Amino acid sequence: MDNVACLIARLTVSLLPREHGAYGQMAVPLVTSIAVAGLNTASLLIGLAEVAGFLAHEPLLVLLGRRGVRARREEGAHAAWWFGASAATMAAAGAGALWLVPPGVRWSLLLPILPALVLGAAVSAKEEKSTRGELAAALAFSLAAVPLCMAAGATVSTALAVGITFASVFVADTLAVRSIVLAVRGGGDPRAARSARIAALVVAAAAAVALAGAGLRALLPWGAFGAAAPGLAVAVWLAFSPPRPSQLRKVGWALVAASVAAALVLIAGLRR
């Protein structure tokens, strides 16, 4: 029995998402939304659907053979069970949330669903690691905060403040990191790296101006600008002074720190 339990545990761990940065992109906006708006049955179901969709990703890649023939042969049965359970949970929780959220809130569910569909198309085309796939994932995770907050009773302004803040930070930082990866992967692609670097700077500048303007017009709380500032600053830093590949661990910690800082500012300024 101990050997069986160890085997199940090993297989389960092997089917958890491998992209460590994705854990933060999924969890930080989720926790922030709950801390800001509270939790009820509808918002709980939205969060459950998000987590289940996140957990379905790795077993799907195994089943599609993206982790190699050996992984599909050895872990295929467990991956099929894991994917089926995760997909069924996501579908059931999503249907329950759609039923329970007020009619005036249902439009907000499209905000994370649309980029999630783009991500699904990227996975189908073997492009989940492309700029399109990574940006779609960043937007899906960040914008899930909007329906989650609104389902719990938060105002549209508060919900958008959380979702837009994380979307701005995640998109700018993803582009900045992509510029570093493109500069070194496979010998480097200077043109693609430069394009990603410019895109990161444009997004960071545009987001800062838009959030400041929204604050001046009282469209969004000023906390959104303050929360996004550290993450946008990290994107600018990475774009202007790209670190060496050996320093990518420090980059990861800087991104985590920026996300946590955004969460703390939003919670302090928006919590009901």
Side-chain angles (χ1 to χ4, degrees):
M1 291 296 293
D2 289 342
N3 290 336
V4 172
C6 288
L7 176 61
I8 293 174
R10 182 183 67 80
L11 289 173
T12 299
V13 170
S14 69
L15 293 174
L16 292 175
R18 299 183 183 182
E19 295 78 10
H20 295 159
Y23 285 88
Q25 287 190 341
M26 183 273 295
V28 175
L30 179 62
V31 172
T32 304
S33 300
I34 294 172
V36 167
L39 197 63
N40 60 13
T41 304
S43 61
L44 176 63
L45 288 173
I46 293 172
L48 179 60
E50 180 183 1
V51 173
F54 176 71
L55 294 177
H57 180 255
E58 184 63 25
L60 176 60
L61 293 183
V62 172
L63 291 173
L64 293 175
R66 306 288 171 76
R67 299 307 189 194
V69 176
R70 180 178 177 181
R72 183 166 58 180
R73 181 179 65 250
E74 295 180 353
E75 303 178 5
H78 193 62
W81 181 91
W82 186 278
F83 174 75
S86 299
T89 300
M90 178 179 65
L98 183 62
W99 177 266
L100 290 176
V101 297
V105 174
R106 288 173 184 162
W107 64 268
S108 65
L109 294 170
L110 290 174
L111 295 178
I113 288 175
L114 291 178
L117 292 175
V118 174
L119 176 59
V123 171
S124 178
K126 300 182 180 180
E127 296 179 353
E128 63 270 15
K129 288 293 188 180
S130 66
T131 300
R132 175 181 63 147
E134 292 190 355
L135 290 180
L139 287 171
F141 287 136
S142 55
L143 295 179
V146 180
L148 202 154
C149 286
M150 292 183 66
T155 64
V156 176
S157 177
T158 295
L160 289 176
V162 178
I164 291 175
T165 294
F166 284 114
S168 301
V169 170
F170 289 168
V171 169
D173 287 348
T174 296
L175 288 170
V177 172
R178 288 287 298 172
S179 72
I180 299 171
V181 173
L182 291 169
V184 298
R185 178 185 291 171
D189 186 341
R191 184 175 180 179
R194 183 170 58 253
S195 296
R197 188 176 304 116
I198 292 172
L201 291 171
V202 169
V203 169
V209 171
L211 290 172
L216 287 171
R217 296 184 179 185
L219 298 176
L220 292 177
W222 269 103
F225 176 80
L232 298 180
V234 168
V236 173
W237 164 60
L238 293 176
F240 275 119
S241 303
R244 297 187 298 273
S246 60
Q247 298 176 310
L248 289 182
R249 184 179 295 274
K250 293 181 180 179
V251 172
W253 283 112
L255 297 175
V256 170
S259 297
V260 172
L264 294 175
V265 173
L266 289 170
I267 293 169
L270 303 178
R271 188 172 184 178
R272 296 167 62 189

